[in-house]
């Protein structure tokens, strides 16, 4: 049966990841995070190609395609943003993909300087520093109000060249990140400490989300003043959409492996509690708009943010106070300590 023989290798390729995923929590995480990085890389390739099409044939329709492609790729990044170990640590890749927080408005200054210098290719972007290399720099060119009113607003030739160069560099960065995660997989699967490290990554992601992405702009930390500019993606109006994507990402790429680990160790009730908390947090987010500013400017809408803050806090507490101790995981130093 030659036809069947030809099918066997293809079936093996399809079945192998499924069997691997069934073996252990870390195998589940390896498979899920690989899928997240691969999806991110695919969306950024689409963003790069869409940018090239727009710059070759500028039109309102093609401009809308670029903005939609930027949003899709940016939200895919938010979904895997919590992974703070492994290949993402090489060459400051997380900063290359999203330079944030940007309290000194470096993105605007670097983009302005690059336009003055007529920066037009990926090598120049690669050498210019992280403030010019990722989603925020593209967001500035596409969505910033002042930039869009300037003489060199898109689709000006040098601005289009810079936009395309940044997209190309971002595609190279996310493509190599996805490939390196595959190469890192055996080390991840063979190293016991990565079980705790993966759970810690979820905790760190939730902590940054609460303290930096919600509490700071809500005026709950430091200066008691509401400030939408302290959120991320405020220029595009996707601050809350980004938070929604981050919670969706943890639900998609972190929770299945964690459920498997909890069940294996006899903590089925904690797995169910985690599932319900993810569900209620996402329901709260679904009731909110994409932008953060309208909810900060209106007291009635602000109560929606307060409810979200409570939901995310409960999610963090379930993970930190119930699940981590049950699994014997003690948190180490994380990137937000000492700030």
């Amino acid at each position: 049966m030659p036809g069947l023989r030809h099918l066997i290798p293809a079936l093996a390729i399809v079945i192998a990841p499924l069997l691997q995923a069934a073996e252990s929590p870390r195998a589940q995480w390896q498979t899920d995070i690989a899928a997240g990085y691969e999806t991110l890389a695919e969306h950024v390739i689409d963003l790069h190609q869409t940018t090239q099409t727009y710059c070759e044939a500028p039109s309102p329709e093609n401009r809308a395609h670029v903005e939609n492609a930027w949003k899709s790729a940016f939200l895919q990044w938010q979904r895997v943003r919590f992974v703070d170990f492994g290949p993402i640590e090489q060459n400051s890749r997380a900063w290359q993909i999203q330079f944030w927080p940007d309290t000194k408005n470096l993105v605007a200054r670097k983009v302005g300087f690059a336009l003055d210098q007529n920066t037009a290719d990926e090598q120049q972007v690669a050498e210019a520093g992280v403030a010019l290399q990722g989603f925020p720099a593209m967001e500035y060119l596409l969505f910033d109000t002042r930039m869009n009113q300037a003489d060199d607003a898109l689709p000006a030739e040098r601005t289009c060249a810079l936009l395309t160069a940044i997209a190309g560099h971002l595609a190279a960065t996310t493509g190599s990140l996805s490939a390196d995660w595959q190469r890192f997989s055996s080390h991840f699967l063979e190293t016991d400490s990565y079980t705790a490290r993966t759970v810690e990554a979820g905790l760190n992601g939730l902590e940054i989300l609460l303290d930096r992405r919600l509490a700071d702009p809500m005026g709950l930390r430091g200066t008691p003043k509401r400030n939408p500019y302290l959120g991320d993606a405020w220029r595009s109006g996707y601050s809350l959409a980004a938070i929604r994507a981050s919670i969706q990402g943890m639900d998609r790429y972190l929770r299945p492996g964690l459920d498997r680990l909890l069940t294996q160790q006899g903590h089925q009730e904690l797995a169910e509690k985690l599932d319900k908390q993810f569900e209620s947090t996402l329901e709260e987010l679904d009731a909110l708009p994409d932008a953060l500013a309208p909810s900060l400017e209106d007291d009635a809408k602000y109560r929606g943010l307060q409810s979200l803050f409570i939901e995310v806090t409960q999610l963090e507490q379930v993970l930190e106070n119930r699940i981590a101790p049950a699994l014997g995981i003690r948190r180490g130093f994380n990137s937000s300590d000492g700030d």
Side-chain angles (χ1 to χ4, degrees), residues 200-266:
E200 286 180 348
L203 278 168
N204 295 342
L206 286 172
E207 188 174 275
I208 291 170
L209 194 156
L210 268 177
D211 290 348
R212 302 276 188 80
R213 301 168 66 186
L214 273 177
D216 277 349
M218 289 175 68
L220 302 179
R221 201 179 79 145
T223 305
K225 182 180 179 181
R226 302 175 193 178
N227 185 351
Y229 303 116
L230 296 178
D232 46 6
W234 58 268
R235 287 188 169 96
S236 57
Y238 293 136
S239 297
L240 285 176
I243 288 174
R244 184 184 303 117
S246 290
I247 298 295
Q248 288 172 336
M250 291 185 202
D251 186 45
R252 169 67 181 83
Y253 303 129
L254 176 67
R255 186 184 57 76
L258 196 50
D259 279 357
R260 187 181 295 274
L261 181 61
L262 288 166
T263 301
Q264 283 183 357
Q265 297 197 13

Side-chain angles (χ1 to χ4, degrees), residues 15 28 50 56 59 69-70 90 94 118 134 156 185-186 257 274 305 315:
I15 291 172
Q28 178 83 59
T50 307
E56 289 168 0
S59 71
W70 180 91
Q90 297 173 2
N118 206 18
S185 291
S186 60
L274 180 68
L305 288 181
L315 184 59

Side-chain angles (χ1 to χ4, degrees), residues 79-130:
R79 293 187 173 98
V80 290
R81 183 176 170 180
F82 73 93
V83 182
D84 61 356
F85 60 88
I88 191 67
E89 296 181 290
Q90 297 173 2
N91 302 320
S92 302
R93 276 173 169 154
W95 287 97
Q96 289 187 52
I97 295 171
Q98 185 181 5
F99 179 73
W100 186 86
D102 182 18
T103 55
K104 297 181 179 179
N105 204 19
L106 279 178
V107 169
R109 288 157 57 188
K110 286 287 186 180
V111 170
F113 181 77
L115 289 173
D116 289 343
Q117 298 298 309
N118 206 18
T119 300
D121 62 44
E122 291 178 32
Q123 185 60 37
Q124 290 173 313
V125 170
E127 295 169 354
V130 294

Side-chain angles (χ1 to χ4, degrees), residues 164-184:
T164 304
I166 296 171
H169 182 267
L170 189 57
T173 302
T174 53
S176 62
L177 173 62
S178 179
D180 285 350
W181 179 264
Q182 294 290 354
R183 283 190 280 270
F184 175 70

Side-chain angles (χ1 to χ4, degrees), residues 113-170:
F113 181 77
L115 289 173
D116 289 343
Q117 298 298 309
N118 206 18
T119 300
D121 62 44
E122 291 178 32
Q123 185 60 37
Q124 290 173 313
V125 170
E127 295 169 354
V130 294
L132 191 67
Q133 294 176 346
F135 286 110
M138 292 191 72
E139 181 191 29
Y140 179 82
L141 291 172
L142 288 166
F143 298 99
D144 186 79
T145 302
R146 288 188 179 179
M147 181 66 219
N148 280 321
Q149 295 172 348
D151 292 339
D152 50 2
L154 290 168
E157 184 176 354
R158 62 176 176 172
T159 310
C160 249
L162 178 59
L163 183 75
T164 304
I166 296 171
H169 182 267
L170 189 57

Side-chain angles (χ1 to χ4, degrees), residues 5-28:
R5 284 201 302 273
H6 287 302
L7 282 175
I8 289 174
L11 286 172
I13 291 172
V14 173
I15 291 172
L18 298 176
L19 293 175
Q20 186 187 55
E23 291 173 354
S24 72
R26 255 182 288 142
Q28 178 83 59

